[in-house]
């Protein structure tokens, strides 16, 4: 049976790399972007994720053309004005940072999840994933950035409760430092104290998501927040150059907050060199 995926915000960065890996692994892969562009092999659809009608049209197109949706990767994101302004404290930032970091970085994920769940629950299978980060655990970038990522984790946890018994799972993923083309173009050896040599390729994230979606134990992880580097270690997945990326669990003082209280029993165990 063919597998159908949608990656929101798939024209560049993490989304583009995820889409590439899904295409390579045989998924029929749709991507959204404002200008309707995407990686080779993917089906690109123009969509402004602040426009609910445009989002609905994307899912109508997928239902009409493919008749199913097995995987949603919530990745759409919009930077606030002056992305470098993340170095400023919240009271010195424009209040309309909310419109990008919450309006797109959170609300757009919820809207897409609503439409995906409608298709998936009817079919009795599927996975909704949120691209989150360690900013849920410790301060990263800004107050609103952390708020949006923490909310994505809670969203997956609560969606899993309501999806129980439907065959559909919801999971949030913490990515580490990502070796995007932009970051690599800077010629740095490290960024924010993390080694680029042991950072994650966007395609690595996609390979992890593809494997997770096919994991026979997927339902047991529904509602959890998982660390992509640790999932890679579990599945034997490495970067494009063969290196295993590092988990940032230790640098941020611990692992995911969902599910609470049972982390040591349920979390993917880190490699020995990460303890």
């Amino acid at each position: 049976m063919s597998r159908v995926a949608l990656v929101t915000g798939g024209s560049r960065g993490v989304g583009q790399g995820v889409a590439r890996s899904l295409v390579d692994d045989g998924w029929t892969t749709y991507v959204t972007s404002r200008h309707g562009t995407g990686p080779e092999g993917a089906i690109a659809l123009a969509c402004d994720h602040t426009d609910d009608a445009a989002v609905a049209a994307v899912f109508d197109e997928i239902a009409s053309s493919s008749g199913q949706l097995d995987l949603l990767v919530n990745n759409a994101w919009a930077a606030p004005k002056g992305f470098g302004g993340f170095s400023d404290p919240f009271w010195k930032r424009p209040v309309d940072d909310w419109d990008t970091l919450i309006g797109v970085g959170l609300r757009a994920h919820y809207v897409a999840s609503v439409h995906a769940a409608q298709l998936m629950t009817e079919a009795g299978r599927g996975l909704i994933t949120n691209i989150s980060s360690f900013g849920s655990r410790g301060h990263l970038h800004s107050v609103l950035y952390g708020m949006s990522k923490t909310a994505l984790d809670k969203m997956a946890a609560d969606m899993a409760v309501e999806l129980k018994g439907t065959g559909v799972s919801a999971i949030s993923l913490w990515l580490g430092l990502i070796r995007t083309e932009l970051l690599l173009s800077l010629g740095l050896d490290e960024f924010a104290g993390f080694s680029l040599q042991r950072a994650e390729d966007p395609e690595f994230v996609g390979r992890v998501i593809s494997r997770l979606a096919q994991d026979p134990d997927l339902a047991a992880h529904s509602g959890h927040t998982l660390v992509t580097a640790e999932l890679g270690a579990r599945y034997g997945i490495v970067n494009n150059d063969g290196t295993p990326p590092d988990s940032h669990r230790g640098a941020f003082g611990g692992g995911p907050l969902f599910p609470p209280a049972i982390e040591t029993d349920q979390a993917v165990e880190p490699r020995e060199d990460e303890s």
Side-chain angles (χ1 to χ4, degrees):
M1 180 182 294
S2 64
R3 297 165 296 169
V4 179
L6 168 62
V7 182
T8 67
S11 64
R12 59 185 179 180
V14 172
Q16 184 182 73
V18 168
R20 282 195 190 118
S21 291
L22 293 175
V23 169
D24 289 345
D25 201 25
W27 293 77
T28 298
T29 306
Y30 293 84
V31 300
T32 59
S33 68
R34 291 179 64 90
H35 302 293
T37 58
E40 183 177 357
I43 303 167
L45 301 174
C47 180
D48 178 350
H49 278 272
T50 65
D51 182 344
D52 290 352
V55 176
V58 164
F59 285 88
D60 287 344
E61 173 63 24
I62 294 172
S64 175
S65 299
S66 295
Q68 67 189 70
L69 180 65
D70 303 289
L71 171 64
L72 169 65
V73 181
N74 277 318
N75 174 73
W77 192 79
K81 296 175 183 177
F83 184 78
F86 275 173
S87 61
D88 297 327
F90 71 91
W91 65 90
K92 294 184 179 180
R93 291 294 304 159
V95 173
D96 64 8
D97 280 0
W98 179 280
D99 301 331
T100 52
L101 294 170
I102 304 297
V104 178
L106 175 59
R107 188 180 187 278
H109 294 44
Y110 177 80
V111 174
S113 296
V114 168
H115 289 286
Q118 290 170 357
L119 293 176
M120 291 176 177
T121 54
E122 184 175 345
R125 67 179 186 276
L127 170 63
I128 297 170
T129 59
N130 295 331
I131 299 298
S132 186
S133 87
F134 284 86
S136 297
R137 177 84 193 196
H139 182 273
L140 184 64
H141 298 317
S142 75
V143 171
L144 286 173
Y145 180 88
M147 287 170 59
S148 68
K149 295 304 185 182
T150 304
L152 289 178
D153 299 348
K154 177 62 170 171
M155 187 173 86
D158 286 355
M159 283 183 175
V161 173
E162 299 186 13
L163 288 167
K164 188 175 182 180
T166 66
V168 181
S169 298
I171 291 174
S172 201
L173 297 173
W174 280 5
L175 280 57
L177 180 64
I178 303 294
R179 299 196 290 205
T180 62
E181 292 181 3
L182 176 60
L183 186 57
L184 292 175
S185 71
L186 300 177
L188 303 174
D189 293 326
E190 65 175 40
F191 185 82
F194 297 107
S195 167
L196 263 69
Q197 185 177 4
R198 301 285 295 217
E200 300 174 30
D201 290 325
E203 293 81 7
F204 165 84
V205 178
R207 289 191 288 271
V208 166
I209 291 174
S210 182
R211 179 66 179 81
L212 177 64
Q214 301 171 73
D215 192 327
D217 295 326
L218 175 63
H221 300 300
S222 188
H224 291 211
T225 298
L226 304 174
V227 179
T228 49
E230 295 171 12
L231 282 170
R234 166 181 282 189
Y235 295 141
I237 296 171
V238 294
N239 276 322
N240 300 343
D241 60 6
T243 61
D246 289 335
S247 168
H248 298 338
R249 178 185 291 262
F252 283 88
L257 308 177
F258 296 101
I262 56 173
E263 177 183 323
T264 54
D265 296 327
Q266 300 291 343
V268 177
E269 292 296 326
R271 300 190 305 269
E272 290 183 3
D273 60 354
E274 294 169 356
S275 59

